[in-house]
Amino acid sequence: MGQNILVDEIGYLPMDPKRAVYRGEETLQFSVIDKKTGEEVYGGVTGREIYCKAAEEKNRIISFDALTEPGEYYIKAGDEESVTFEIKDWAYRDAMKSMLKFFYLQRCGTSLPKEHAGIYAHDKCHDTDARIYGTDTFKNVSGGWHDAGDFGRYIVPAAVTIADLFLALELDPDLAKQDFDAPVDYPEMGPLLSEIKYEIDWMLKMQDEKTGEVYHKVTCMHFCDFFMPEDEKDELVISPTSYAATLDFAASLAMAIKFFKPYDAEYAAVLESASKKAYDAAMKMEVKSFRNPEEIVTGEYGDEGLEDELYWASAELFRAFGDEKYRKTFEEMAYTHISHGYGWEDVYSFGNVAYILSEYPLDETLKNIIIAAIDAKADSLMTLCRSNGYNVSFNEKSFIWGSNMYLIQNACHLYTAYFFTRKEYYLEAAIEHVHYIFGKNPCNICFLTGYGTNRVMNPHHRPSAAKKEPMPGMIIGGPDSGLHDPTAEKHLQGMPAAKCYVDELLSYSTNEITLYWNSAMICMLAQFTKDYKERK
Ligand code: G3I
Ligand code: 9MR
Ligand code: ZN
């Protein structure tokens, strides 16, 4: 069996466009075969050749939109056969649950019982007070979620993670009720909000009560070995406060208020005052990127451009509170420069969306300018989709550390553009990005752990390594042509950008996982779900 028909290994929804990719030299007849009966249920000819520079391949699209009957299938063309996939109503339900559960499994400062965590059960971890860097003062900053394959807890990525999850909840309110087999601390809030509260309770502890500034992160001085979290016993150190952490904290907590208010007005008031205090504190801070203190070598999240953090926070606080000062700051910035981004580094899009959706009176002209900018950016993504063999908005320069997240965020952008312009083709393009992540990609692998026939087996994730079993429900970073770790350097020399991925434990630059890669995918799938329900 060849490896040259790439499909979404999780599946396709009955009424959606369905595409697979054939890579090879010639045009071929293809058949879609029903796994149960062995019969051809659909047939056709592969599409025109697209040279995909990023993958250095000749690709041809296989379309089988007309096949809507639920079932298990595979595709045959020449000597090639794809893996089995499903056509199923809301085929991603289980994947979504497992991606949500991941947050629970990343919990720090508590023990995880077997009943919910299975083999990843562990004792209470990281529960000693942490030393504030450069002082002899200790502070309780327990709780929150481990950021990634390491056990650090960092404010900047935490803020975008919860922001993604709030956007998801806003787009698909049903998500709030989705059960994901984790204990629910506040049942009235529903599982997801309750889980997010676990992270926010930690974030609140990371604010300096006196100044309102927010500490950048809490980690040990070094990354530890591959063991379970409770075995990391080195001293916990709180790194200095940073401008980005302070504003991201302000923005994401402002976003949180309206979700918690109906259940807990007092908590909402705490969030409001923490958010405002952080914003005011940031106004007095030096606008400077965070740099690791000399002895601390854990993740830096040292963002270079910091305008977007102020842009986002101003928009979000304006949306939450309506004050002129936030509005003015945002509008002045937006009239000068509109940009995009849903990542930890570039958070412009959160700001754009917050402003447009604000219920307080705003500048309608500016609102339309922002929508036009979103539309224009989506249009440029469409151009990329057309020249990519997998119909995704990437070229050979796009494969940087965490490329899967950038790809997912492009899809979020396409959805956002669809939301404001109703141009159907944005929606169809976005869906191809979902399929890419789940297996229709040049690496021929499903980038969600625990899913697909071709699975990721060695994610850079300490609990998975310690238990010798990949934790399911994690979105992998994906190809990075920068070869940013020795294992990538060893295995991927000379590979095309889109194939710079290796399923090795030590390849942290291609095979790690993070909170914000999962939340990005959840946010995209939530939009997809909502939209799917509307179309049905
Ligand atoms: O932004 C530039 C872009 O302009 C340039 O074209 C491109 C070329 O390589 O590089 C881009 O920067 C990259 C940046 O990620 C993009 O987000 C950097 O090279 C790359 O080094 C950087 O990687 C970050 C990595 O930490 C190293 O700092 C990842 O985004 C970030 O997700 C990752 O985060 C780590 C934490 O530090 C620790 N915990 C695990 C987590 C995941 O790996
Ligand atoms: O495990 C660490 C991972 O979370 C980070 O993303 C990565 C880059 O900062 O570093 C990993 O830790 C490695 C360290 O940088 C170098 N020595 C080996 C560590 C484990 O692979
Ligand atoms: Zn921990």
Side-chain angles (χ1 to χ4, degrees), residues 456-517:
V456 174
M457 294 312 290
N458 305 297
H460 187 87
H461 178 246
R462 284 169 173 72
S464 298
K467 299 295 176 186
K468 300 192 169 53
E469 178 78 37
M471 182 184 282
M474 307 189 294
I475 293 286
I476 295 294
D480 172 10
S481 62
L483 310 190
H484 284 116
D485 66 68
T487 305
E489 254 180 291
K490 185 171 137 210
H491 286 87
L492 303 169
Q493 237 24 278
M495 290 291 265
K499 292 180 183 165
C500 284
Y501 166 75
V502 57
D503 182 15
E504 288 272 347
L505 173 63
L506 294 180
S507 182
Y508 46 82
S509 66
T510 75
N511 210 26
E512 196 169 351
I513 59 90
T514 71
L515 299 173
Y516 47 98
W517 298 339

Side-chain angles (χ1 to χ4, degrees), residues 107-109 125-126 146 151 153 229:
R107 276 192 185 197
C108 183
C125 59
H126 304 110
H146 300 130
F151 299 131
R153 286 165 290 146

